[in-house]
Amino acid sequence: MTLLHVSVTDLPGEDDMFRKLTLSQKLAGSFGVILLLFVGMAGLNYYVTSTSSADFCDVLAGEVAIAGHAEKAEILMLQCRRNEKDFLTRKNTKYVAALNDCVDKLKTEAEAIVTLAQGTANSSAATAATTVIGCADTYRTQFEKVVAAWETRGLDHESGLQGQFRKVVHDIMEQVKAYEVGDLYLGLLQLRRYEKDYIRTKSEGYQQKFSTAVSACRQLAEESSCDANAKETFLNALGAYTQAFDQYVAAAGTPEPEKEAYGLMRSAAHQMEETLNRVYVPDVGKLALAIRRHEKDYLLRGSAKYAQRTRAAVNALVAAFKSAGVDQTHIDQIESGANAYVQTFDALVVADKDIAAAIAAMRETVHKVEPLVEEIEANALEATDVRTQSVIAHAKSLSNLALVLAAITVVGGATVCLLITRSIVAPIRRIMASLTAGSEQVSSASGQVSSASQSLADGTTEQAASLQQTSSSLEEMSAMTQQNADNAQQANTLAAEARKTADTGADSMGRMN
């Protein structure tokens, strides 16, 4: 009789892959497969996150940083222009230091752009930023030329050419005042008129008017800024003229004394007139004012036509002196003052041209810098948008891949669970079938033993010697039956453990999903 022995690894119909594996190995393998899928999905998620983060960091460290430095450079350029305007408006040298500081900071921002652009292979930004650095140095140099030109011209009305010009202008205006004796000339003419009216009418009214006119003429002479010698001569002649007029009044009706007094009056009057003619230039005040008016127009507007008009007005003043018949010494003095005025004025005009040229060159440089900075910022922002969209698209594709892997993990896990469950349940079912078949075999063997016992009982006397052998066989049979029963119990225990393990695996899969 063959002993019944059933083992999971001995069951027929098992796939070769699972046949050599124990139950614990199958379970460990299933969890290993699921764990690998889970780790793969987690790794992909980490890759998606880290890649997207790194891409965004690259964008921030590259184009966004370039745009930030470009914006700062633009602000610094505006501050440079503000300091430039403040200096040109107020002529205060403190704005020179402020502009230099802004230029240094502007170059620092441009150098940072060059470094970032080279790191991101942005050659256009690097080239533009390098140009900005060169233009910043040129701008500083041109601004320094503007400052130097203004210092030459004069930062205020007391310094430089402007201070010299102011002194020359004051000198020439003081000279002109010495020849503004038109009112005194009119006063003399008024005296001669009342003199003639009295001689013609012998009226006391004209005599009184003459006396009043003498007082007014003397006051005008004393207050006049004309040449001191001429003033003294005029006043002395006026005194003689007045005395002669009084003598003429006293000699009324006496021809010879009247004639003598009249002659003295005429002589004194001619002396006063000749004295005024030596220092009188008609309309000299008006001519001087014309010079100052055209001069102010030029200083305010800087137009060449006003410079020409100023020179023409100076020439007209000199011509008026020459045609007035004044002494040559006075003509020489006014010509000297006029030449000094024109020379200083022309130096101012030249300085203004130098300033205008330096300002034009400076502004031309500024107009190169400003669009370059704006271009760098605009290109960086555009590149940032493009890179951002690319990063978003890449991250989206990776996210979709992660979703696919997650789905594969779920399906793969479920498939592995199904396969493991089937690989566990199928052997158990075969074990149960084998146990059932073994129990039928034991029942059949017992019947055979019973029949043999009956035969032995009938032939006890003949089979006494073999009874002992039969008894031993029964004991062996009994032991075999007990062993089969133990095997069945062990199979039941294994089946329960397998079911429990399957449930645990299914639960773990559920939590894992």
Side-chain angles (χ1 to χ4, degrees):
M1 182 175 297
T2 304
L3 295 178
L4 178 63
H5 180 71
V6 180
S7 174
V8 174
T9 57
D10 294 335
L11 294 177
E14 189 81 20
D15 293 337
D16 292 338
M17 184 179 64
F18 295 102
R19 183 175 299 171
K20 298 179 180 180
L21 299 177
T22 63
L23 181 60
S24 59
Q25 290 175 334
K26 292 179 180 180
L27 292 175
S30 65
F31 283 116
V33 172
I34 294 172
L35 182 61
L36 287 176
L37 291 174
F38 177 77
V39 170
M41 183 178 67
L44 181 59
N45 285 330
Y46 175 78
Y47 174 75
V48 171
T49 303
S50 61
T51 301
S52 300
S53 177
D55 289 341
F56 277 114
C57 288
D58 290 341
V59 173
L60 291 175
E63 304 301 337
V64 173
I66 290 175
H69 287 294
E71 183 178 3
K72 292 179 181 178
E74 185 177 9
I75 294 173
L76 288 169
M77 193 68 249
L78 292 175
Q79 290 176 348
C80 287
R81 298 305 306 278
R82 185 188 67 183
N83 292 323
E84 168 198 328
K85 300 299 182 186
D86 287 338
F87 172 78
L88 293 177
T89 303
R90 304 174 185 179
K91 309 301 183 299
N92 192 327
T93 54
K94 72 178 183 180
Y95 297 111
V96 177
L99 184 138
N100 285 328
D101 182 61
C102 289
V103 170
D104 290 337
K105 292 179 179 178
L106 172 63
K107 291 179 61 179
T108 300
E109 296 298 331
E111 289 168 356
I113 292 173
V114 171
T115 302
L116 290 170
Q118 290 175 346
T120 58
N122 190 342
S123 59
S124 61
T127 302
T130 303
T131 305
V132 169
I133 294 173
C135 288
D137 289 330
T138 303
Y139 173 71
R140 190 208 303 268
T141 301
Q142 291 165 344
F143 179 74
E144 290 172 351
K145 290 182 180 179
V146 172
V147 174
W150 267 109
E151 288 175 344
T152 300
R153 190 187 190 279
L155 297 177
D156 54 39
H157 62 279
E158 294 181 352
S159 64
L161 290 174
Q162 191 172 351
Q164 297 176 17
F165 180 69
R166 183 169 180 265
K167 184 178 181 303
V168 170
V169 168
H170 288 172
D171 291 342
I172 197 170
M173 292 307 294
E174 287 297 323
Q175 290 180 5
V176 168
K177 288 180 181 179
Y179 305 96
E180 290 183 293
V181 293
D183 292 341
L184 187 58
Y185 206 99
L186 290 175
L188 176 60
L189 293 177
Q190 193 71 22
L191 279 176
R192 298 303 308 274
R193 171 192 169 189
Y194 292 141
E195 169 204 329
K196 302 299 181 184
D197 287 340
Y198 176 78
I199 292 174
R200 182 175 56 83
T201 64
K202 302 294 189 296
S203 170
E204 293 183 358
Y206 286 116
Q207 182 182 355
Q208 184 63 37
K209 289 181 179 181
F210 179 84
S211 298
T212 301
V214 167
S215 298
C217 190
R218 180 176 288 109
Q219 183 177 359
L220 287 172
E222 291 174 350
E223 295 176 351
S224 175
S225 57
C226 67
D227 180 73
N229 292 330
K231 181 188 294 188
E232 183 180 1
T233 301
F234 182 85
L235 288 173
N236 291 334
L238 179 62
Y241 177 74
T242 304
Q243 185 178 4
F245 181 80
D246 291 339
Q247 291 176 1
Y248 183 86
V249 173
T254 307
E256 287 299 326
E258 283 186 348
K259 184 178 179 180
E260 182 180 357
Y262 182 72
L264 292 174
M265 280 193 298
R266 288 189 64 185
S267 176
H270 289 165
Q271 187 178 7
M272 286 189 292
E273 185 174 358
E274 290 175 357
T275 301
L276 290 179
N277 285 336
R278 289 197 297 270
V279 296
Y280 174 55
V281 178
D283 297 328
V284 66
K286 181 179 178 181
L287 292 171
L289 290 177
I291 295 173
R292 297 308 306 276
R293 178 168 66 86
H294 296 313
E295 165 203 316
K296 299 299 183 184
D297 286 338
Y298 170 77
L299 294 176
L300 289 174
R301 298 175 175 85
S303 176
K305 69 178 181 180
Y306 295 114
Q308 294 175 355
R309 290 176 183 179
T310 302
R311 297 186 190 97
V314 173
N315 293 333
L317 177 66
V318 174
F321 269 81
K322 291 180 178 179
S323 62
V326 298
D327 291 344
Q328 186 63 39
T329 56
H330 299 302
I331 296 175
D332 293 341
Q333 287 179 354
I334 201 66
E335 279 188 324
S336 176
N339 290 334
Y341 175 91
V342 171
Q343 183 178 2
T344 309
F345 179 77
D346 287 343
L348 275 177
V349 173
V350 172
D352 288 338
K353 290 180 179 178
D354 293 339
I355 292 172
I359 290 175
M362 180 177 64
R363 289 178 178 171
E364 182 180 359
T365 303
V366 168
H367 293 159
K368 291 179 181 178
V369 173
E370 290 174 338
L372 281 174
V373 173
E374 293 175 359
E375 179 184 354
I376 293 172
E377 183 179 7
N379 291 340
L381 291 176
E382 182 179 357
T384 299
D385 184 63
V386 173
R387 288 283 305 278
T388 300
Q389 295 299 324
S390 176
V391 170
I392 291 173
H394 186 219
K396 186 176 180 180
S397 63
L398 291 177
S399 298
N400 293 334
L401 180 59
L403 290 176
V404 172
L405 182 59
I408 292 173
T409 300
V410 172
V411 175
T415 302
V416 169
C417 288
L418 179 61
L419 292 175
I420 294 300
T421 302
R422 290 181 61 184
S423 68
I424 293 173
V425 172
I428 292 174
R429 288 178 179 174
R430 289 194 292 271
I431 290 171
M432 294 300 296
S434 298
L435 290 175
T436 302
S439 178
E440 290 175 355
Q441 292 175 3
V442 169
S443 178
S444 176
S446 298
Q448 293 175 4
V449 171
S450 177
S451 177
S453 298
Q454 184 64 38
S455 299
L456 288 174
D458 292 340
T460 299
T461 56
E462 296 177 0
Q463 301 295 332
S466 61
L467 180 59
Q468 183 65 37
Q469 184 179 1
T470 301
S471 179
S472 298
S473 297
L474 287 173
E475 290 177 359
E476 184 180 354
M477 183 71 70
S478 177
M480 184 181 299
T481 302
Q482 183 63 40
Q483 183 179 357
N484 288 336
D486 292 339
N487 288 337
Q489 182 62 35
Q490 183 180 2
N492 288 331
T493 302
L494 291 174
E497 290 178 354
R499 185 176 294 108
K500 183 178 180 180
T501 302
D503 293 338
T504 303
D507 184 62
S508 297
M509 282 302 301
R511 290 195 302 271
M512 188 177 301
N513 289 334

